[in-house]
């Protein structure tokens, strides 16, 4: 009896799309300006300046979209491939990879970086109020950046705000409130852009830090009968600021109006 023969058994190949990987670490470093394809919709974008960043092109709900995955300086080829696979998987299941992409971006952008971006956008068309524009970012640089500056905007919690503000909450009450308000603006921006998945902790920080009990202290008013002593000192000073004060006293004009006059006229008191 003849021994039955069977067809040759072939190893099965796993079904599904095959990602062609064209790039390697050396080509990522040496690639010239342009867009270089790796596979699966992943590209290395090289600018004329030499800046390199990863871009994923994928179809989301029937529309072709490009998503930034990060600069090649900080995101390796292996990490870019891993992220692109994750984003493609989200797109295939009907989700929006942009939500995940923004959350990932929030992990890499620091509080100081976003604060400077917010400051630029907020005052882009308000350069006339130079003092306020400068103070807005200066207070954050002085009181917030030492503790929050290098933290990613996605990881800042209530504890971090308490550590930042507690040293000045009682002793510099008004300054502390301004710092907290400006921190809140930055974190609100982070939430709105999808950089944070947690709520803004600023409201809770104000409650947890407690009441301040600060009272406004006004300067003592000068008795009308002593005004001639003030005017003598002003006349003896010879300074423009002193002359402006004397002019304001005599005319009852608003201080802002008097300051506007200074570049155009020389104030003298006889």
């Amino acid at each position: 009896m003849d021994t039955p023969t069977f067809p040759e058994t072939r190893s099965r190949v796993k079904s599904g799309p095959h990602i062609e990987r064209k790039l390697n670490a050396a080509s990522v470093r040496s690639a010239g300006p342009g867009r270089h394809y790796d596979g699966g919709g992943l590209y290395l974008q090289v600018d004329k300046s030499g800046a390199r960043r990863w871009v994923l092109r994928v179809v989301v709900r029937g529309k072709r979209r490009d998503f930034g995955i990060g600069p090649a300086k900080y995101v390796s080829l292996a990490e870019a491939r891993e992220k692109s696979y994750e984003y493609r998987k989200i797109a295939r299941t009907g989700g929006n990879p942009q939500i995940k992409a923004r959350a990932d971006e929030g992990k890499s952008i620091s509080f100081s970086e976003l604060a400077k971006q917010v400051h630029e956008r907020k005052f882009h068309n308000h350069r006339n109020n130079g003092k306020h524009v400068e103070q807005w970012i200066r207070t954050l640089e002085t009181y917030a950046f030492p503790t929050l500056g290098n933290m990613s905007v996605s990881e800042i919690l209530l504890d971090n705000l308490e550590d930042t503000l507690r040293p000045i909450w009682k002793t510099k009450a008004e300054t502390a409130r301004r710092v907290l308000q400006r921190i809140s603006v930055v974190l609100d921006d982070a939430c709105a852009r999808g950089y944070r998945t947690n709520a803004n902790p600023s409201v809770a920080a104000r409650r947890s830090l407690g009441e301040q009990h600060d009272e406004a202290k006004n300067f003592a008013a000068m008795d009308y009968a002593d005004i001639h002593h003030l005017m003598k000192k002003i006349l003896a000073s010879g300074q423009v600021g002193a002359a402006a004060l004397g002019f304001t006293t005599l005319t009852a004009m608003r201080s802002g109006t008097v300051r506007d006059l200074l570049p155009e006229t020389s104030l003298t008191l006889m």
Side-chain angles (χ1 to χ4, degrees):
M1 184 175 180
D2 295 334
T3 302
T5 59
F6 298 94
E8 182 181 354
T9 302
R10 296 181 179 179
S11 59
R12 290 187 177 184
V13 178
K14 187 178 180 181
S15 62
H18 297 276
I19 305 302
E20 183 179 3
R21 298 183 172 183
K22 295 186 175 182
L23 299 177
N24 54 46
S27 61
V28 170
R29 291 192 299 269
S30 61
R35 180 170 280 197
H36 306 273
Y37 188 59
D38 180 58
L42 178 64
Y43 293 84
L44 173 68
Q45 178 68 48
V46 182
D47 298 336
K48 291 182 179 179
S49 64
R52 301 163 191 272
R53 63 183 184 276
W54 298 107
V55 178
L56 174 66
R57 174 163 290 183
V58 66
V59 176
V60 179
R61 300 170 186 172
K63 295 184 179 181
R64 183 175 294 175
R65 301 281 301 277
D66 284 357
F67 296 96
I69 295 183
K73 181 178 180 180
Y74 302 111
V75 180
S76 68
L77 174 59
E79 290 170 333
R81 286 170 175 168
E82 183 179 351
K83 284 188 176 183
S84 66
Y85 171 78
E86 188 175 3
Y87 294 173
R88 289 197 308 271
K89 185 177 180 181
I90 293 173
R92 284 198 304 270
T93 57
N96 186 354
Q98 187 174 23
I99 297 175
K100 182 67 170 64
R102 283 298 181 90
D104 289 342
E105 190 176 352
K107 295 176 183 178
S108 61
I109 186 169
S110 69
F111 177 83
S112 61
E113 291 173 324
L114 186 59
K116 292 173 183 177
Q117 293 176 18
V118 170
H119 177 250
E120 178 64 27
R121 290 192 297 266
K122 182 178 177 65
F123 295 106
H124 180 69
N125 295 320
H126 298 80
R127 294 302 182 187
N128 56 318
N129 192 353
K131 184 177 180 180
H132 177 63
V133 170
E134 182 68 18
Q135 285 180 340
W136 199 94
I137 193 66
R138 190 67 64 200
T139 53
L140 290 178
E141 290 174 346
T142 302
Y143 298 105
F145 285 9
T147 54
L148 304 178
N150 292 328
M151 295 183 66
S152 70
V153 292
S154 65
E155 65 180 353
I156 294 175
L157 301 174
L158 173 61
D159 296 358
N160 306 121
L161 298 192
E162 290 174 339
D163 292 342
T164 299
L165 294 165
R166 187 172 286 112
I168 61 171
W169 191 249
K170 303 289 186 181
T171 58
K172 299 180 180 179
E174 180 61 27
T175 298
R177 287 195 294 269
R178 290 178 181 177
V179 173
L180 178 58
Q181 187 273 334
R182 290 161 190 175
I183 290 174
S184 180
V185 170
V186 177
L187 295 183
D188 274 344
D189 188 86
C191 291
R193 295 177 187 278
Y195 295 153
R196 287 180 60 88
T197 56
N198 296 325
N200 187 341
S202 299
V203 176
R206 181 152 194 163
R207 291 196 299 265
S208 67
L209 288 165
E211 297 183 12
Q212 294 175 299
H213 302 295
D214 58 320
E215 296 181 1
K217 296 180 180 179
N218 299 320
F219 290 106
M222 176 178 288
D223 189 278
Y224 179 79
D226 296 328
I227 192 68
H228 66 284
H229 297 301
L230 172 65
M231 296 306 294
K232 284 182 179 180
K233 291 182 179 179
I234 288 175
L235 289 170
S237 171
Q239 300 296 318
V240 174
L245 175 60
F247 185 81
T248 304
T249 303
L250 294 173
T251 61
M253 292 179 68
R254 291 183 176 274
S255 59
T257 304
V258 174
R259 288 196 299 272
D260 290 338
L261 292 172
L262 290 177
E264 301 177 5
T265 184
S266 176
L267 295 175
T268 57
L269 297 175
M270 302 301 294

